Amino acid sequence: MKLDLLLRNADIITMDPGRPCARSLGVWKGLVAGLDEDLDGIAATEILDLGGATVTPGFIDAHCHTTWFGLGLAELDVSKARGLGELYGLLREAMDDAGAGPGHGAGAWLMATGFSQQQHDGAFPDIRELDRITGERPLFMRHNSGHMAVVNTAALRQAGAESPSYSDPDGGVIVRDSAGRPTGLVQETAQALIQQLTLPYSITEIEAALDRATRHYASEGITSFTEAGVGGGWIGHSPVELAAYQRAAANGKLHARAQVMPVLDVLHRIGSHDDDGSGAAGLDLGIASGFGNEYLSLGPAKVFLDGSLLGETAAVSDEYCSHGQTDNTGNTGYFQAEPAMLRERIEAAYAAGWSIAAHAIGDRAVDLAIDILADCDAKNGPRTMPNRIEHASMTRPEQLERLAAAGIAVTPQASFFHDGGDGMAASLGPERLPWAYRASSFLSAGVTLAGSSDRPVANGSVLRGMQAFVDRKTSSGAMFGNPTERLSPYEALAAYTTGAAAATGMSAVKGSLAPGKLADFTVLSGSPFDTGNIAQLHVLATAVGGRFTHNSLTALQHSS
């Protein structure tokens, strides 16, 4: 045997408890062939002397929105605007760009991404000013949480939702002033009223978005990710979104391994033999979670139970705190459908063989998710990959044991702390804040913790996310939540490697560097265990199956 690649003179952190460190690693046919003495006497086609650089298992982002992120890279980014004056200025500049969204010419949609009221002292744009800037050109400006958007009158008019008599959809709100006039803010499922006017994107557009997004992922050391919702609902971009993924993979434009979650909306009743769960909700041919290969596969079915903490629409047990100009009297958020209906739909999907990823942010939604998923498991048995609660942002102490007993994995986002932490703290108040975005207590309870970003809702840098797990600092420098929830650097790295692999049902093939596992690795400028700030490390190279998807190692020795 001749190795395809040999890394030597490296500080290799394997995340394998049986062999935690090494100096050399061999790659053969996309797999780890061995470490250190395993490689004695074996030749290699290519040898890289890493000069002491650190090698870790490839980073795994267990919850992100890759199509949305990739499309956003070609849209107007308003995330850096501070103050509504700057925001309006960006919109004025964009008005001359007819290519900013679907359609052409004066009536083309103006698509913007990255808005947050927290960047504007809690203020939302005035729809009258938006109308003066955009005229009859419809505007859709997505909030960085993904759970609301800002639109203009032209967009509402095209959706037929401008009239005060228009009824809000289930699980969503067209926010209006005291006179019944739309403010331009649409929340949760109400976004779909506007989005359906711009959908579907073509396979070609989505493929290009995946190319842009995953090239960016590679530059940040990401070798695998889970796309948290495709195919329908307000988070999907096309009924054939999976076909775009297949084409991107076939054309070399998918630069990281992808696990794709179909939204529950796209599953439908399937008539099959009674013994096979006839009438259960699935995809044709009985396709379910786990279908695919090591590069592109189907994950759990994604279902939204509630909204967001940033938008104060997540379902919580006690009302949000009033703060600034926001009066939250009586506001406990809301579910995106009646709980009985959500239960029925989830049980039907589970019976068809699907694992479930339930978006549940408020503690009331977490209760509902645990109840349903535990009952599904008891009735139908475990699935091929763990059930998950996406975000699990507010968990009361007694919910920790229930999560562990039900074998439910969680994906809290440390990346939220910096930009959104101060705002969420104001919404929750000091008594509930210790429940928010737990980390250490999940691990102590035996709950599988997966690192993820929710990109583009938050910054997707894994190194930044790891540091956030370690220090839990907000943009003001405050500690977010309970200081005892901080992770050690080792635990933070584990969240994005072994933890994420376990949560995605992939521990057997990825998450650590051991013989026989996929040769997915990240080369760093230093060890996350020995630095004062993990976020200041640099990603020197990223490899998927031993093939470099990002490489800035030109200054190091290459030999063969």
Side-chain angles (χ1 to χ4, degrees):
M1 179 181 76
K2 187 175 185 180
L3 297 173
D4 299 315
L5 173 66
L6 173 62
L7 305 180
R8 67 183 184 191
N9 193 19
D11 173 20
I12 301 173
I13 301 171
T14 68
M15 300 305 290
D16 177 4
R19 191 174 196 169
C21 58
R23 298 295 295 174
S24 300
L25 181 146
V27 177
W28 184 65
K29 293 188 175 180
L31 303 177
V32 176
L35 300 159
D36 290 347
E37 67 275 5
D38 301 339
L39 309 173
D40 289 347
I42 302 177
T45 300
E46 183 177 13
I47 301 172
L48 294 184
D49 185 317
L50 293 184
T54 297
V55 176
T56 72
F59 298 152
I60 304 171
D61 188 334
H63 179 117
C64 55
H65 303 282
T66 305
T67 301
W68 171 14
F69 175 61
L71 290 169
L73 291 175
E75 295 174 348
L76 174 64
D77 181 4
V78 301
S79 63
K80 292 182 173 56
R82 294 296 182 269
L84 292 179
E86 286 189 17
L87 175 67
Y88 295 147
L90 290 175
L91 293 174
R92 290 190 188 95
E93 291 175 8
M95 277 303 295
D96 293 331
D97 180 9
H104 301 280
W109 280 79
L110 177 55
M111 306 294 287
T113 188
F115 170 76
S116 173
Q117 75 276 18
Q118 295 186 34
Q119 298 157 349
H120 309 285
D121 296 324
F124 287 89
D126 186 328
I127 193 171
R128 294 168 297 183
E129 184 62 25
L130 294 178
D131 291 344
R132 279 192 285 271
I133 294 170
T134 58
E136 290 303 308
R137 185 175 182 184
L139 165 71
F140 185 85
M141 181 164 57
R142 199 190 294 261
H143 191 273
N144 68 354
S145 70
H147 288 265
M148 63 177 82
V150 174
V151 301
N152 63 356
T153 298
L156 290 165
R157 187 178 300 126
Q158 285 198 25
E162 180 184 7
S163 169
S165 63
Y166 189 90
S167 298
D168 289 334
D170 289 341
V173 176
I174 300 170
V175 179
R176 301 177 185 275
D177 63 20
S178 58
R181 294 184 294 263
T183 66
L185 183 63
V186 291
Q187 296 178 335
E188 305 298 344
T189 61
Q191 296 178 94
L193 300 171
I194 312 300
Q195 288 174 298
Q196 66 186 0
L197 302 174
T198 69
L199 298 176
Y201 284 85
S202 71
I203 288 178
T204 300
E205 289 174 301
I206 297 173
E207 181 185 16
L210 295 175
D211 186 16
R212 287 191 294 269
T214 58
R215 284 183 187 276
H216 190 97
Y217 288 5
S219 72
E220 294 183 340
I222 295 170
T223 56
S224 294
F225 66 94
T226 295
E227 169 75 88
V230 302
W234 60 263
I235 201 67
H237 296 87
S238 168
V240 293
E241 202 162 349
L242 181 61
Y245 265 92
Q246 289 181 289
R247 197 160 92 174
N251 292 337
K253 295 182 178 180
L254 192 61
H255 308 289
R257 302 183 195 273
Q259 182 185 74
V260 178
M261 295 181 182
V263 296
L264 201 64
D265 309 58
V266 305
L267 274 57
H268 52 266
R269 294 284 174 178
I270 298 176
S272 58
H273 193 280
D274 289 345
D275 291 346
D276 301 327
S278 180
L283 293 180
D284 293 328
L285 302 177
I287 294 172
S289 299
F291 180 80
N293 57 35
E294 291 165 348
Y295 210 89
L296 175 59
S297 62
L298 289 176
K302 170 76 177 292
V303 57
F304 287 92
L305 300 190
D306 68 344
S308 77
L309 284 181
L310 290 171
E312 297 178 335
T313 57
V316 294
S317 297
D318 297 302
E319 65 187 29
Y320 290 99
C321 298
S322 296
H323 53 94
Q325 299 180 348
T326 303
D327 180 6
N328 273 318
T329 302
N331 179 19
T332 58
Y334 48 86
F335 292 116
Q336 298 224 344
E338 289 298 319
M341 180 181 295
L342 290 167
R343 174 181 283 273
E344 179 182 354
R345 296 175 64 204
I346 291 170
E347 288 178 343
Y350 199 89
W354 287 90
S355 299
I356 301 296
H359 169 111
I361 285 186
D363 63 310
R364 189 156 53 99
V366 171
D367 274 334
L368 179 62
I370 297 173
D371 288 344
I372 296 174
L373 296 178
D375 289 347
C376 284
D377 185 81
K379 181 178 179 180
N380 297 283
R383 290 292 170 248
T384 56
M385 61 184 61
N387 293 314
R388 297 168 38 163
I389 293 182
E390 306 307 295
H391 314 298
S393 306
M394 286 185 63
T395 47
R396 302 188 308 275
E398 69 271 18
Q399 291 174 323
L400 296 173
E401 184 176 344
R402 296 187 64 208
L403 285 165
I408 298 170
V410 296
T411 62
Q413 284 77 32
S415 49
F416 287 176
F417 301 160
H418 184 270
D419 295 331
D422 291 324
M424 289 188 289
S427 295
L428 296 177
E431 291 185 3
R432 286 181 295 184
L433 192 56
W435 305 349
Y437 288 95
R438 295 178 182 272
S440 181
S441 57
F442 281 136
L443 296 178
S444 296
V447 178
T448 298
L449 170 67
S452 69
S453 67
D454 204 19
R455 192 198 310 249
V457 176
N459 186 299
S461 164
V462 171
L463 294 173
R464 188 174 183 268
M466 288 171 59
Q467 181 61 33
F469 268 132
V470 171
D471 65 30
R472 297 183 69 90
K473 292 294 183 66
T474 71
S475 58
S476 70
M479 174 69 61
F480 182 76
N482 192 331
T484 64
E485 294 293 349
R486 289 179 293 185
L487 298 183
S488 69
Y490 179 89
E491 291 169 332
L493 177 58
Y496 289 96
T497 55
T498 53
T504 55
M506 297 288 188
S507 290
V509 296
K510 67 175 73 168
S512 61
L513 295 172
K517 286 196 170 185
L518 296 169
D520 297 353
F521 59 84
T522 301
V523 183
L524 301 175
S525 58
S527 170
F529 304 160
D530 300 329
T531 181
N533 189 332
I534 300 171
Q536 292 179 354
L537 296 175
H538 300 289
V539 174
L540 302 179
T542 307
V544 176
R547 180 182 60 84
F548 286 103
T549 53
H550 167 74
N551 193 348
S552 60
L553 294 170
T554 52
L556 301 177
Q557 179 181 342
H558 292 239
S559 56
S560 60

